[in-house]
Amino acid sequence: LSATPETPKEDGRPKWDNKFQYILSCIGFAVGLGNVWRFPYLCQIHGGGAFLIPYFIALVFEGIPLLHLELALGQCLRKGSIGAWNTISPYLGGIGVGSWMVSILVSLFYNTVLTWVMWYFINSFQEPLPWSVCPLNENRTGFNEECYESTAVNYFWYRKTLNITPDIAESGTFQWWLILCLAACWAIVYLCTIRGIETTGKAIYVTAIFPYLVLTIFLIQGLTLPGATEGLIYLFTPKLNTLKNPRVWLDAATQIFFSLSLAFGGLIAFASYNPEKNDCEKDAVTVAIVNSMTSLYASIPVFSVLGFKATTAYWDCLDRNIIHIINEFDLPEESIMRQNYTSWISFLNSSYPEKIAGLKLKSCDLQEFLDQSVSGTGLAFIVFTQAIILMPGSQAWAILFFIMLFSLGLSSMFGNIEGVFTPLLELQILPKSAPKELLSGIICLISFLIALCFTLGSGSYWIDIFDRYAASVPLLVIAFFEVIGVVYIYKIKRFSEDVEWMTGRKLSLFWQITWRFISPLLLLIVFMAFVTLQMQKPPSYTAWNPKYEGFPMKEEKVYPPWVQAICVLLAALPCVCVPLVALFHLVKQKRRSKEPSLVPPEVSFCQGANS
Amino acid sequence: YAWDANEEYLFKAMVAFAMRRYSSKSTTQISNVLLCNVTDRVSFWFVVTDSSKNVTTVPGSEVEAAIRMNRNRINNAFLLSDKTLQFLKITSTLSPPVEPSTPVWLIVFGVVLCLIVAGIVFLIVSGIQKHKKKKESTERENLEEKVEVTLENGIPCEALDLKAGHINGVFAADDDRFTSL
């Protein structure tokens, strides 16, 4: 009994239903919340259209080569991250373990962000929206003080949602509503990843395509709002002299790197379910370009809405000033309009300067309102929610917006969970008879229990820490070792033959140059610059403290030493796996008194052999 | 609408009405309400006199209380709101927002959670069923393989069985050649 050579190897490995599912999964993984709330912010603060120049340079020389490398690696070795690196060389197994750890850490905090999105979603079914009005205080004479001094939107976010403590050292209590939403989110993740790619492959059709529909709807709606054009002009006007600031180039490189979700191990896992003869080069270019185009496409509605919000705030400021002037001078109603406000002001200032000065009018400047740039959770939960209140039919817009954010985040979660699930499946933690559903259930349950820490009062401070330290430096380090490992240890000659065998055409010179020199060099520079910038000042955070004098400004505080130690631990733990595992194997080989051979034998792991 | 003498008359009437309701005296007349300093902004001062007590003005706190009690009616008479018809020194008591007995978000959350749990149960049950079916089919496959193996050994078993029952004609036919004892 022997299988004929033409039949594909029946190794029982699950595979994608079709190529489209695979591409969609990779795109869904890459396109996440960062495309909506980080890229437009970076575009705005780094000179608008001019930012696209370093962005595309980083895309071509750093993003696409690294993406191609990961996809080719996964497809060739047909294993998850830990298995793949162990196959190349046991000394490099630490890279896989590092990726796996980062995937776990990121899954934990990313799903908590989705918890917040879900909380806002289920609160969007009320009329009026709960973040549009301030609650009354105890004796019903006025509004709640904290809410009155900041805004209703801020109050709902910091008090009603997070119930935030004024300091990271104060943990506060568990917020039961967040625990409920967290349980629901992990249940949804379990539902979609229950059988690995068999189930995520079906779910991805919805979660990856739906955000584009909603973005288009928001685009059309956003462009019809007043003030949208101001926002767009502000966003896209290129200010070329910002390119002289090296910070811009660093931000472009890091944005591309983190946006493509490299070094998580999830892409390797996705590619490992591919048939061997698949054009990974075209896939990589497709995914990277779609990701960048999505960022650009998303920034248009975001900035239309931000322009609308700035214009509305500007008009409100003008109106308030007008009411004060009319009340003071007893002028008839509608004598001063927004259009002739400036001429009236100059006339009144020249005739009655003391009265005008006594009114203490706030200067209303549209540019100032446009300059208030926010990124991250602030953009979604504070700025955007405020803009949604001003739109007609706000419930529908809120529901659409939060479902879109949820799908964006969920499709990225699939990639993260796959990066955790596939290596564990291959390591055969559970006996072979145990169903896959049990392993995914265990992963989701344990993650839920650990993520309960983020539902404490100080939870959002911890999420910031995880975001800044666990999901930044280790990824750069792991990606650097990935490139070095493949190019110099597995040897680029062997790898290019493998890629040729898979894609069916010769590896072009572009990939050779970028893989060998440009990408590792860029990664090294970015890593050094990143670490230097972080070390320049002691790590600090901004806390929401109602008792602070400058309230509603956030209070700048420094992390206590024990928190700083945790930050360092989070950043160092995945990185340190790489040398630790290599050392472990070195000691093992020395003990067996064999010659420690770093270079594995000259046989390709792709072509033909599936040992 | 423009503010003219008729509106002023209505205003006086509303204030008189408010005073009557508040103090339950029916003595306040429209002529007791005096407006002064009317400006184009449509802002003015007003006082309420008490005709029974020799043309003295009613204390401001009483007027304030009366207006506060009937604010809603006064607003509606002019089709205005607390924001557009402002009485200086009279802050409006805010109405509490309508709170349903169960918060709406809990209801939505319950719906979402039920859907998720139903989905998970469905997938797990279908997974168990698939697992059982696969086990049955692999057992059947194993039996079939055994049957095949016996066939593929070159000589079919049935043929062997048949041959075992045959008498070897060579030896049987030569019974006469053997020497009989």
Side-chain angles (χ1 to χ4, degrees):
Chain A
L1 288 178
S2 59
T4 49
E6 281 86 49
T7 54
K9 295 184 250 308
E10 288 300 326
D11 51 3
R13 196 172 178 74
K15 44 190 209 306
W16 299 105
D17 288 345
N18 49 52
K19 177 86 182 275
F20 184 58
Q21 229 180 43
Y22 161 63
I23 296 280
L24 213 57
S25 295
C26 289
I27 291 179
F29 184 29
V31 171
L33 296 169
N35 294 65
V36 169
W37 69 34
R38 183 131 175 94
F39 177 79
Y41 164 75
L42 284 178
C43 237
Q44 181 194 355
I45 62 170
H46 288 317
F51 181 69
L52 294 177
I53 301 178
Y55 184 73
F56 276 110
I57 293 181
L59 177 70
V60 165
F61 288 109
E62 188 195 346
I64 300 187
L66 287 172
L67 187 61
H68 186 201
L69 188 85
E70 284 214 4
L71 293 183
L73 198 67
Q75 199 175 295
C76 165
L77 297 169
R78 315 198 79 217
K79 292 223 176 87
S81 57
I82 299 186
W85 289 105
N86 267 330
T87 314
I88 291 194
S89 160
Y91 294 98
L92 294 179
I95 303 181
V97 177
S99 297
W100 181 78
M101 272 198 194
V102 174
S103 285
I104 293 183
L105 292 174
V106 171
S107 304
L108 288 175
F109 85 82
Y110 206 79
N111 216 15
T112 315
V113 176
L114 287 187
T115 306
W116 298 336
V117 174
M118 168 169 273
W119 166 252
Y120 268 79
F121 168 68
I122 60 182
N123 269 301
S124 306
F125 287 89
Q126 304 178 27
E127 161 78 34
L129 289 170
W131 55 81
S132 59
V133 286
C134 268
L136 304 174
N137 55 17
E138 282 89 38
N139 47 7
R140 295 223 215 126
T141 50
F143 293 116
N144 180 304
E145 196 187 320
E146 187 183 347
C147 183
Y148 184 68
E149 292 194 12
S150 58
T151 59
V153 178
N154 274 334
Y155 177 76
F156 186 74
W157 169 236
Y158 286 111
R159 191 54 50 212
K160 280 293 172 60
T161 306
L162 300 175
N163 202 7
I164 207 165
T165 54
D167 193 286
I168 194 172
E170 291 173 42
S171 297
T173 52
F174 286 105
Q175 317 308 326
W176 61 272
W177 57 89
L178 284 183
I179 296 183
L180 284 182
C181 292
L182 186 72
C185 281
W186 277 109
I188 293 183
V189 169
Y190 179 51
L191 173 70
C192 294
T193 58
I194 194 167
R195 279 187 227 135
I197 64 165
E198 288 169 42
T199 38
T200 62
K202 312 281 188 310
I204 200 81
Y205 286 119
V206 175
T207 58
I209 298 187
F210 185 71
Y212 288 99
L213 283 174
V214 177
L215 275 176
T216 312
I217 297 177
F218 264 101
L219 181 79
I220 301 175
Q221 153 76 350
L223 288 176
T224 61
L225 292 169
T229 31
E230 271 89 33
L232 285 175
I233 293 174
Y234 182 73
L235 169 70
F236 283 119
T237 329
K239 303 178 196 68
L240 286 168
N241 52 359
T242 52
L243 292 182
K244 287 189 229 140
N245 181 7
R247 191 71 205 266
V248 176
W249 295 85
L250 175 67
D251 275 341
T254 46
Q255 170 63 13
I256 264 295
F257 182 77
F258 298 131
S259 176
L260 284 172
S261 307
L262 298 165
F264 277 93
L267 287 168
I268 298 185
F270 280 154
S272 70
Y273 297 115
N274 266 340
E276 278 160 339
K277 297 255 190 189
N278 179 46
D279 194 345
C280 48
E281 182 181 341
K282 210 161 58 161
D283 296 340
V285 175
T286 312
V287 171
I289 291 189
V290 170
N291 180 49
S292 296
M293 289 299 125
T294 308
S295 293
L296 276 173
Y297 188 60
S299 48
I300 301 180
V302 167
F303 266 89
S304 312
V305 173
L306 288 181
F308 162 69
K309 179 177 176 297
T311 307
T312 320
Y314 173 64
W315 285 348
D316 278 343
C317 178
L318 280 182
D319 286 343
R320 245 178 293 133
N321 284 356
I322 290 176
I323 290 278
H324 282 142
I325 296 178
I326 288 184
N327 278 343
E328 179 71 18
F329 289 94
D330 273 336
L331 300 163
E333 197 78 29
E334 293 191 9
S335 52
I336 308 184
M337 300 297 290
R338 292 180 196 141
Q339 293 89 320
N340 47 18
Y341 172 77
T342 32
S343 48
W344 266 101
I345 272 281
S346 45
F347 164 68
L348 288 171
N349 231 348
S350 48
S351 8
Y352 310 95
E354 334 77 36
K355 266 195 170 182
I356 293 285
L359 281 177
K360 292 200 186 44
L361 297 172
K362 257 180 78 176
S363 68
C364 299
D365 181 19
L366 183 60
Q367 276 302 317
E368 195 189 309
F369 287 112
L370 282 171
D371 274 335
Q372 290 166 354
S373 52
V374 198
S375 82
T377 51
L379 180 72
F381 299 116
I382 298 182
V383 172
F384 230 76
T385 44
Q386 192 151 36
I388 286 181
I389 304 174
L390 304 165
M391 294 185 207
S394 12
Q395 276 82 15
W397 295 114
I399 292 173
L400 268 181
F401 178 63
F402 290 115
I403 292 194
M404 175 190 80
L405 285 187
F406 195 78
S407 327
L408 280 173
L410 194 63
S411 50
S412 300
M413 272 303 287
F414 292 162
N416 282 324
I417 293 287
E418 205 53 48
V420 177
F421 184 65
T422 308
L424 281 181
L425 204 62
E426 285 158 10
L427 284 176
Q428 290 180 348
I429 304 267
L430 297 178
K432 250 213 155 121
S433 56
K436 267 194 274 191
E437 289 90 334
L438 190 63
L439 181 62
S440 47
I442 292 178
I443 293 178
C444 289
L445 187 66
I446 295 183
S447 308
F448 165 66
L449 291 173
I450 300 181
L452 283 176
C453 316
F454 294 125
T455 57
L456 289 168
S458 52
S460 83
Y461 298 134
W462 286 105
I463 292 202
D464 272 334
I465 288 184
F466 268 68
D467 189 20
R468 263 199 275 178
Y469 294 102
S472 56
V473 170
L475 291 172
L476 289 168
V477 170
I478 291 174
F480 178 71
F481 280 116
E482 277 190 0
V483 182
I484 298 292
V486 167
V487 168
Y488 295 108
I489 298 185
Y490 185 66
K491 296 286 194 309
I492 182 101
K493 193 158 155 316
R494 217 182 332 168
F495 192 62
S496 48
E497 280 167 16
D498 291 337
V499 176
E500 262 180 63
W501 182 77
M502 289 194 292
T503 61
R505 45 171 195 279
K506 198 160 161 47
L507 198 69
S508 84
L509 194 62
F510 170 72
W511 304 113
Q512 300 257 8
I513 299 181
T514 46
W515 282 344
R516 261 196 242 228
F517 310 115
I518 302 188
S519 294
L521 195 65
L522 266 179
L523 277 175
L524 202 61
I525 297 177
V526 168
F527 173 69
M528 302 287 212
F530 202 79
V531 171
T532 325
L533 270 170
Q534 295 276 38
M535 310 264 260
Q536 264 178 1
K537 50 180 172 56
S540 64
Y541 66 109
T542 48
W544 178 263
N545 186 4
K547 301 201 179 51
Y548 177 52
E549 309 93 47
F551 189 76
M553 299 298 292
K554 295 175 83 173
E555 189 183 351
E556 180 105 11
K557 288 190 182 173
V558 175
Y559 286 127
W562 63 276
V563 174
Q564 289 191 20
I566 296 186
C567 298
V568 171
L569 194 72
L570 278 176
L573 201 62
C575 306
V576 100
C577 284
V578 180
L580 266 183
V581 170
L583 209 65
F584 171 72
H585 277 282
L586 198 70
V587 165
K588 210 162 74 162
Q589 292 284 62
K590 276 257 160 73
R591 217 181 286 162
R592 287 201 213 149
S593 54
K594 267 202 253 178
E595 268 306 308
S597 58
L598 184 65
V599 183
E602 286 292 323
V603 81
S604 161
F605 293 122
C606 284
Q607 312 180 30
N610 194 21
S611 45
Chain B
Y1 52 80
W3 187 263
D4 53 11
N6 296 331
E7 307 288 342
E8 284 182 18
Y9 189 79
L10 179 60
F11 184 77
K12 290 186 200 173
M14 291 309 293
V15 174
F17 163 74
M19 291 304 300
R20 286 194 186 198
R21 280 194 79 197
Y22 175 68
S23 49
S24 349
K25 282 189 293 197
S26 338
T27 49
T28 326
Q29 303 289 328
I30 292 182
S31 48
N32 287 114
V33 185
L34 305 164
L35 270 61
C36 32
N37 277 2
V38 185
T39 62
D40 276 341
R41 172 75 183 88
V42 196
S43 69
F44 46 81
W45 292 94
F46 68 95
V47 288
V48 181
T49 56
D50 197 348
S51 42
S52 61
K53 289 204 187 116
N54 265 352
V55 203
T56 49
T57 52
V58 177
S61 49
E62 271 187 49
V63 181
E64 274 175 33
I67 299 213
R68 197 176 276 150
M69 202 174 82
N70 297 291
R71 191 64 189 272
N72 205 21
R73 303 291 298 273
I74 301 179
N75 282 349
N76 279 329
F78 290 97
L79 305 172
L80 294 172
S81 67
D82 275 359
K83 262 200 181 155
T84 36
L85 176 62
Q86 275 178 321
F87 289 89
L88 300 177
K89 291 194 216 155
I90 302 183
T91 51
S92 41
T93 50
L94 305 155
S95 58
V98 177
E99 281 265 352
S101 48
T102 34
V104 177
W105 69 265
L106 260 182
I107 301 176
V108 181
F109 176 75
V111 169
V112 168
L113 201 62
C114 285
L115 287 173
I116 300 171
V117 170
I120 293 181
V121 166
F122 168 72
L123 278 178
I124 292 186
V125 165
S126 69
I128 296 178
Q129 280 182 345
K130 231 197 310 186
H131 200 65
K132 262 199 226 145
K133 251 195 255 170
K134 226 189 359 177
K135 246 210 263 182
E136 283 176 23
S137 65
T138 43
E139 282 175 13
R140 233 181 292 131
E141 264 180 40
N142 284 341
L143 291 171
E144 284 175 10
E145 272 184 25
K146 286 206 190 93
V147 173
E148 282 186 27
V149 163
T150 49
L151 278 177
E152 275 192 53
N153 258 349
I155 314 165
C157 274
E158 297 94 52
L160 279 170
D161 283 336
L162 289 169
K163 280 221 174 112
H166 278 183
I167 304 168
N168 196 341
V170 176
F171 291 106
D174 281 344
D175 251 348
D176 304 325
R177 280 213 237 132
F178 289 117
T179 330
S180 50
L181 287 165

